[in-house]
Amino acid sequence: MSMFAVATAGIIAAMTLALVRAFAGPSLYDRVLAGNSFGTKTVILIGLMGFLTGRPDFLDIALLYALINFAATIAILRFFSYRQSSKTRAKPMSEGEA
Amino acid sequence: MSAFEVELTPIVFLDLSLLTMLILVAFAMLRSRHLFAVVMLSGIYSLLSAAFFVSLDAVDVAFTEAAVGAGVSTVLMLAGMLLTARREKPKTPGRAPVALAVVFVTGAALAYATIDMPAFGDPDAPANSYVGQQYVDETPNDIAVPNIVTAVLASYRGFDTMGETMVIFTAGVAVMLLLGLGSARGGREVSDAEPEDGEAK
Amino acid sequence: MIDWDLIRDLLSWALFLTGGFSVVAGAIGLVRFPDFFTRLHAAGVTDTAGAELIILGMMIQAPNWIVVVKLAFIAAFLFLTSPVATHAIAHAAWMVGFKPMQGPDLRYEGDGK
Amino acid sequence: MGRFIILVLALGALWLLLSGYFDKPLLLGFGAASVLFAALMARRAGIVDNDSVPTGLFPGIFGYWLWLTFEIGKSNIGVIRHALAVEPKLSPKLFYVPCQPKTSVGKATFANSITLTPGTVSVDLGEEGILVHALTEDFADVGAIKEMGDYVARIEGSEA
């Protein structure tokens, strides 16, 4: 039982728990949070995987994942705020008409 | 050809748990009627499958999966959500025996086909026994690119991946046009609608 | 004569154990805590203590300097981006009108008695 | 122009450290070309300013990071205790903290430091300061958070 296996087991357990939160919700933002947290765990998992197989050369991918996970979270939230602002802009107009 | 000898290393446990999580996420996506939840779960699905690709040594596929699956397609699906409702219409429980039968027959055929496959990493497998070793040996001398996958794709297979190269070339040209690199002045001057913003910056 | 390999192993065992423990504890908090804003704090534990400790443990075990450098970049990148992502989620929820639970009896504001 | 040179040097160092090639002319040439391309694009987009190349923060930021690491460690223990407690006694609280740093980089550093220490998350930046959500009353320690802001204000330098 190597130390990397122990850490990997911890990450897998935490991933399962994050999945529970992503399934349960209840709100949209809970799911985004769970997804972001899941991404961080994936980054560490890929790093650990390299050490488990004795070839820690795949860290470039972990680095790329860290970048993409961040960019994707920001993109999703930008999208929500865009949707929200278009909604609030539409609202007073329809009220004014009514 | 080779008997299945399953050695329970940590990597096997890792693969098993990744696959289990993939199945769980897939079922949750099928069950959920909340479309935003489905989009977020599909992002998680991409992350999981990318991790699984890394475990299978398919690093280049994992790269693509991470960029396209977890990044671009999530945003595209969200953009698609703008055009539709937030919840899926409840539908009558599945009555599609033909579809189910097709899925089962295809799945069984695929599972049957894996029996003939050589074991993972078998030195006598077709993939390892013909010219593969030669490429591995010669690439560092032929081309000064350290990544053999890149060298094979861009150089040795330059002709049969011509279509692929064309796509990349087209994408590059499109990016250059968007950035305005073609014009001598470096793009048109674009002024902001509100002058206050421009001054504040 | 000091056995450097043993010290290295012991050190990274300690880092992996504490790091793995923090990751799991953060995930437990992510599931257990009552509302969205409190869950943010639990996710923060995973992102800071958990991730950085495990990466530090890997750095100690790295076979050559380039692996150390890459791990250092991952650590620095998580250190710089995780608060931005957490804040972005919190701010987005706040702007939409999510109100956090407040006070020791976990009541929403304006919820009445 | 000074900032541009610093950006090129930083990107070049990043490329060298991540690739690990020091003796292959072809690859080094590609690396130099990509570094220059990225830097020129950043310049053309007009984002080579104090926000993206915060030269004012150095070198004081290293001491601050060291100090922050200990703060993060302390508050992590607190949050983990609540996460694993049989009956967690949470008392979430929203409150404003005055924001001492004046530059945009300083404000961002301060707000991110608040978020980075578990137990407190910065939610919004308004006229009254930074709106902070804390997990319990203990974490809602305005004095300690203000201390952090003072530290950032000391090292932030000027906007120029």
Side-chain angles (χ1 to χ4, degrees), chain A residues 14 21 29-30 40 60 67, chain C residues 30-31 39 47 70 77 96:
Chain A
R21 180 45 71 202
Y29 296 93
D30 284 300
T40 312
D60 297 310
L67 284 162
Chain C
L30 188 67
V31 175
R39 282 174 205 139
D47 284 353
K70 281 180 187 168
F77 197 77
V96 176

Side-chain angles (χ1 to χ4, degrees), chain B residues 153-164:
Chain B
L153 275 180
S155 180
Y156 293 124
R157 287 177 53 193
F159 286 103
D160 65 293
T161 52
M162 191 104 97
E164 220 173 288

Side-chain angles (χ1 to χ4, degrees), chain C residues 24-74:
Chain C
V24 175
I28 289 173
L30 188 67
V31 175
R32 274 186 75 192
F33 278 172
D35 84 323
F36 165 71
F37 283 91
T38 48
R39 282 174 205 139
L40 280 173
H41 302 294
V45 174
T46 310
D47 284 353
T48 57
E52 304 290 345
L53 285 176
I54 288 181
I55 290 175
L56 203 60
M58 287 197 271
M59 274 162 92
I60 292 175
Q61 288 291 319
N64 53 41
W65 65 266
I66 200 154
V67 173
V68 178
V69 169
K70 281 180 187 168
L71 284 169
F73 273 115
I74 295 175

Side-chain angles (χ1 to χ4, degrees), chain B residues 83-155:
Chain B
L83 307 172
T84 182
R86 301 181 63 168
R87 297 188 75 86
E88 194 180 340
K89 222 187 284 175
K91 56 179 175 220
T92 48
R95 288 199 194 81
V98 180
L100 194 69
V102 168
V103 166
F104 264 106
V105 168
T106 318
L110 287 174
Y112 178 69
T114 58
I115 297 173
D116 263 356
M117 273 172 64
F120 189 63
D122 186 355
D124 296 327
N128 294 333
S129 50
Y130 295 105
V131 289
Q133 191 57 44
Q134 223 163 338
Y135 281 126
V136 175
D137 290 339
E138 294 297 321
T139 306
N141 305 327
D142 283 356
I143 304 157
V145 175
N147 188 336
I148 292 179
V149 175
T150 310
V152 169
L153 275 180
S155 180

Side-chain angles (χ1 to χ4, degrees), chain A residues 5 8 12 15-16 19 22-23 28 31-32 34-35 38-39 42 45-46 49 52-53 55 58 60-61 64-65 68-69 72 75-76 79-80 82-83 87, chain B residues 10-11 14 17-18 21 24-25 28 34 36-37 40-41 44 47-48 50-52 54-55 57 59 62-63 66-67 70-71 74-75 78-79 81-82 86:
Chain A
T8 311
I12 292 280
M15 276 174 135
T16 319
L19 271 189
F23 291 162
L28 184 58
R31 291 183 216 269
V32 177
F38 203 90
T42 315
L45 182 71
I46 289 172
M49 252 164 38
L52 265 179
T53 48
R55 287 180 303 164
F58 293 162
D60 297 310
I61 309 173
L64 177 89
Y65 275 30
I68 285 181
N69 184 42
I76 291 167
F79 171 79
F80 286 149
Y82 164 71
R83 203 176 58 97
K87 230 187 218 169
Chain B
I11 282 289
L14 181 73
S17 40
L18 282 178
M21 279 195 265
L24 285 179
V25 174
H34 198 279
F36 275 124
M40 285 317 296
L41 285 175
I44 290 180
L47 283 171
L48 272 172
F52 187 63
V54 173
S55 150
D57 277 3
V59 181
F63 251 99
T74 310
V75 175
L78 282 175
M81 294 268 325
L82 270 180
R86 301 181 63 168

Side-chain angles (χ1 to χ4, degrees), chain C residues 8-31:
Chain C
R8 241 166 59 148
D9 281 0
L10 283 179
L11 206 59
S12 35
W13 261 112
L15 285 168
F16 278 134
L17 284 180
T18 45
F21 174 73
S22 315
V23 169
V24 175
I28 289 173
L30 188 67
V31 175

